[in-house]
Every structure is written in structure tokens, then in C-alpha cells.
Amino acid sequence: MIKKYNGQCHCKKIKFNFFSEEKVTLLECNCSICLPYRYLHLIIGNKQFSLNCGVDKLISYKFKTKVADHLFCKNCGIKSFYKPASHPNSVSINYHSIIKPPKIKEILLFDGKNWEQAVKNLKS
């Protein structure tokens, strides 16, 4: 069943909502940007995501290929969602930024340290 969920950054200046199944599969990445944040990726299609407030509070950080758009709150520094290179038509929501999140069905490990091969494995 599809349900509406809400999320936010720490200071609540950035708020969003999205539609998702009630049981979800998450990705846990070991790359140098995800690991320190303990970011758990909930991948949602662009059309299922809506930024409600705070677009002016977002700051973008891009590195290496400049494809992924890491979006942080200018006020509190939290990355509650971003545009991942691995899923170009999607938004990756940090599961820890969701208010009353969906239940976790499973957590898959994503080897972001070996990104090129990990992306190929996703599409297999």
C-alpha cells in the first residue's frame, strides 16, 4: 500500500513529503560521503517527491563526476535528501530524516567505494 510520508532537516527549515510503500528496501553505502553520515538511502522517483519549504536554504555540493547533487541545509548542515548519480530520475531520502518512517523490509549494501561496479550490480 502506498502512503504519504513527511521528512525534514534538523532545524526544520527544509520540509518535504513523498509517497512510498509501507515496507521499503534501503541502500547502505560505504563511500566517503555516506559512511560518516550513516546515510540510509530510500530511493523515490522524482514524481513521488515534493519539497514543501526551504528551497532557498539548500546548498549544493558536487564532486568527481558532478552528476550527484548533494543538497545540505545551509542552517543546520543536514543532508536529508539529494539527487543520486546511481538513480538519475530519483531522489535519495535519508531514512533518518523521515518523521514516522515506513518499516524496513531489508537493507542492501552498496559498495560506493567501488562505485562503477556497484552501479552495474544494481542494474543486474
Side-chain angles (χ1 to χ4, degrees):
M1 186 166 138
I2 302 290
K3 186 177 169 184
K4 184 177 180 180
Y5 293 92
N6 297 298
Q8 63 192 27
C9 66
H10 170 72
C11 68
K12 302 178 184 165
K13 293 197 183 299
I14 296 171
K15 294 184 179 183
F16 58 90
N17 64 53
F18 64 95
F19 291 90
S20 172
E21 295 286 339
E22 292 183 90
K23 284 191 172 183
V24 296
T25 297
L26 304 175
L27 294 178
E28 182 178 2
C29 179
N30 65 355
C31 81
S32 62
I33 196 165
C34 294
L35 189 60
Y37 278 96
R38 300 190 184 274
Y39 198 103
L40 282 177
H41 301 261
L42 174 56
I43 308 296
I44 300 295
N46 286 337
K47 293 180 180 177
Q48 283 73 46
F49 180 86
S50 180
L51 179 60
N52 298 332
C53 70
V55 71
D56 60 325
K57 301 294 185 214
L58 289 171
I59 188 161
S60 172
Y61 172 66
K62 295 180 181 185
F63 65 99
K64 203 172 180 181
T65 63
K66 309 282 190 226
V67 175
D69 192 6
H70 299 271
L71 301 164
F72 296 84
C73 174
K74 289 179 189 179
N75 191 56
C76 67
I78 295 298
K79 180 172 85 167
S80 50
F81 68 92
Y82 80 106
K83 303 295 288 177
S86 59
H87 297 79
N89 298 313
S90 302
V91 174
S92 173
I93 298 170
N94 186 347
Y95 184 79
H96 300 297
S97 295
I98 304 169
I99 302 163
K100 297 181 184 174
K103 300 226 181 291
I104 298 173
K105 181 176 14 176
E106 65 180 329
I107 298 175
L108 303 175
L109 299 179
F110 181 82
D111 187 11
K113 289 182 181 177
N114 299 293
W115 193 88
E116 290 81 8
Q117 185 58 48
V119 169
K120 287 179 188 174
N121 293 343
L122 275 178
K123 297 174 182 176
S124 301

